[in-house]
Amino acid sequence: MLCRMGGSLVWSAPPMIRVRGMRKSYRTGKLSTEVLRGIDLEIETGEFVSIIGPSGSGKSTLLHAVGGLDNDYGGSIEVDGKDLRTLSDRQLSAYRNGNVGFVFQSFYLLPHLTLIENVSLPAVFDRGDQALADGPLLDRAHEVLRLVDLEDRAQSKPTMLSGGQRQRVAIARALFNRPKLLLGDEPTGNLDSKLGAQVIELFRKLNHDSGITVLIVTHDPRVSQITDRTLRVEDGRLFEGASPASGATAPEGEADGTSSPAEIAAKPVELEEAGA
């Protein structure tokens, strides 16, 4: 994207995520409930952003649309320069598998598979079962398990792990295809405070070390305290920081806009022992 600075034209990279005028409604019989009402959002490459809000406010709906899991909405969503509404089903599947890593509240690990097999599933979806016999892909599976400090448990089954370890495996699986965007939907929701803190620190470290863009929907205040920006969905609109009821307003005169990040320090947390 070309923009003018000081009388000169310079190249400015587009944001990783750009949402314009997004609306989403759910219909039950003759009743239609509008959940999101004209959402505008930009997230730059390498940002670490959290979205908070009451249950049912539409924050997960927004996340799923950005991730290509839902294309039934009004307005437009661009991710890494791709207009998601223009993609065919096949292209959308390729986008989800290659550009986005998902981490959910539930771990969605297959209990009959080892950890190395679970984190390799993105390759299996793309190439079939023969992917597990591919040397470079197997090396990549070991690499992502190493990133979450679980390579020594590669041949273990998920049932042999704690909740925190299972979520770390889910994060490793999300990283397998080297996504540019990591999306978390309540990733600490099923964990106690200690294990949740370890997972939060892992997200922070991945963002800091690799520059991956991270967007997390959460009820956990510890997550919003360490992200570059905290946004809030309320009454179908998007606000910067605290609840609009507390006096927060979106910048630039837009009630559903966003503004620049605030730097918030995070205290490092040691990862739980892999053998725990």
Side-chain angles (χ1 to χ4, degrees):
M1 175 189 304
L2 286 174
C3 62
R4 187 171 296 278
M5 293 184 63
S8 301
L9 288 174
V10 297
W11 177 259
S12 175
M16 175 59 67
I17 299 171
R18 177 184 283 132
V19 180
R20 288 288 179 264
M22 181 192 171
R23 294 180 176 272
K24 175 68 178 182
S25 299
Y26 291 101
R27 182 174 295 277
T28 304
K30 295 182 179 180
L31 297 178
S32 180
T33 303
E34 191 172 38
V35 178
L36 297 175
R37 300 184 290 168
I39 297 292
D40 289 343
L41 168 65
E42 286 193 1
I43 295 177
E44 301 297 331
T45 299
E47 275 199 274
F48 187 6
V49 179
S50 58
I51 300 178
I52 62 174
S55 296
S57 62
K59 55 189 185 296
S60 290
T61 299
L62 173 60
L63 189 82
H64 293 171
V66 169
L69 296 174
D70 180 6
N71 61 1
D72 182 19
Y73 55 82
S76 67
I77 298 177
E78 294 180 13
V79 180
D80 195 26
K82 299 180 178 67
D83 185 342
L84 301 190
R85 292 290 294 273
T86 68
L87 301 182
S88 66
D89 288 345
R90 182 182 294 273
Q91 291 171 327
L92 201 56
S93 294
Y95 160 77
R96 288 192 298 263
N97 198 40
N99 295 71
V100 185
F102 294 95
V103 182
F104 298 98
Q105 180 173 340
S106 298
F107 316 127
Y108 296 119
L109 302 177
L110 299 183
H112 62 285
L113 298 182
T114 63
L115 302 195
I116 202 75
E117 291 168 335
N118 266 286
V119 300
S120 301
L121 284 175
V124 173
F125 295 152
D126 188 41
R127 306 189 186 187
D129 291 338
Q130 65 271 22
L132 295 177
D134 187 304
L137 293 179
L138 194 59
D139 290 343
R140 176 59 180 166
H142 279 281
E143 181 183 355
V144 293
L145 283 175
R146 193 179 311 126
L147 285 174
V148 299
D149 199 28
L150 284 173
E151 187 181 17
D152 61 337
R153 303 297 297 272
Q155 298 305 319
S156 298
K157 300 289 182 65
T159 53
M160 301 169 65
L161 305 182
S162 70
Q165 290 171 327
R166 293 183 197 183
Q167 191 61 294
R168 282 154 55 192
V169 175
I171 293 171
R173 180 185 58 202
L175 296 172
F176 185 87
N177 277 337
R178 296 181 174 86
K180 296 181 179 181
L181 175 62
L182 189 60
L183 301 178
D185 191 356
E186 300 285 2
T188 62
N190 281 341
L191 305 177
D192 62 28
S193 59
K194 178 183 177 181
L195 299 181
Q198 294 169 359
V199 168
I200 294 166
E201 170 61 14
L202 180 55
F203 275 110
R204 189 202 64 79
K205 186 174 187 299
L206 289 168
N207 171 255
H208 180 270
D209 292 351
S210 68
I212 189 171
T213 306
V214 181
L215 176 60
I216 296 180
V217 161
T218 184
H219 283 99
D220 191 337
R222 296 167 304 173
V223 177
S224 58
Q225 287 169 1
I226 70 166
T227 55
D228 298 328
R229 277 197 291 164
T230 300
L231 309 174
R232 181 179 182 87
V233 177
E234 187 165 298
D235 296 328
R237 297 189 180 277
L238 190 66
F239 295 84
E240 178 82 16
S243 166
S246 301
T249 57
E252 301 178 3
E254 293 294 335
D256 47 6
T258 60
S259 68
S260 59
E263 293 291 332
I264 302 175
K267 181 180 179 181
V269 180
E270 291 186 1
L271 288 174
E272 97 190 91
E273 291 296 327

